[in-house]
Amino acid sequence: MSDDKKYPTHRISFSEIRTDQYGEEKLGKPVEIGTVWPRTNGKQGGLIDWHIDPKNLGEGVFYHFENERGQQREDQAKGQGKDQEKDAFIQAENRKRERNDRGNGRER
């Protein structure tokens, strides 16, 4: 069993079509109604996990978004400490060079 966390590959959202006070159709705020999870053992396709049953939804529009956030956050968290240390050392080195360029005493 690997230690890698699994994240959904896609998210499914739904916006209901509403009619405003002037009789014009507008889309409501999108709500996440499901996620698509990758299949195991390299199989193609995905498995949909419905959070809300689509039969219970009214008339509206479905959105299918690729999900990269979860995996990107984990990748950044793994490498973030090293990047921060590296940046801190580079910053300290740059400050040292700036002090040496200015000289040791007051300049007039």
Side-chain angles (χ1 to χ4, degrees):
M1 177 178 227
S2 81
D3 293 335
D4 294 336
K5 290 184 179 179
K6 299 290 182 190
Y7 292 96
T9 58
H10 295 83
R11 298 192 180 276
I12 302 171
S13 297
F14 176 79
S15 291
E16 185 178 20
I17 296 177
R18 299 181 178 189
T19 305
D20 66 4
Q21 61 190 7
Y22 304 108
E24 295 182 22
E25 290 184 346
K26 303 274 182 177
L27 286 177
K29 182 178 177 183
V31 176
E32 183 177 309
I33 61 167
T35 51
V36 180
W37 291 84
R39 296 184 64 166
T40 57
N41 300 330
K43 296 178 184 174
Q44 289 185 341
L47 301 172
I48 297 177
D49 180 20
W50 294 106
H51 307 300
I52 299 173
D53 188 0
K55 292 185 292 186
N56 297 334
L57 300 172
E59 189 176 339
V61 178
F62 288 91
Y63 298 98
H64 182 247
F65 296 107
E66 190 171 350
N67 183 34
E68 296 178 357
R69 278 189 297 181
Q71 189 64 44
Q72 285 178 349
R73 286 182 184 166
E74 185 173 310
D75 292 344
Q76 288 174 354
K78 285 180 182 177
Q80 188 175 16
K82 293 176 185 175
D83 291 342
Q84 285 181 344
E85 289 174 6
K86 182 179 175 184
D87 290 342
F89 286 120
I90 290 172
Q91 290 174 0
E93 189 67 31
N94 289 341
R95 282 190 224 117
K96 183 178 178 182
R97 285 189 196 130
E98 288 174 8
R99 276 188 244 132
N100 289 341
D101 290 344
R102 284 185 275 169
N104 293 333
R106 288 187 182 178
E107 295 180 7
R108 293 187 183 210

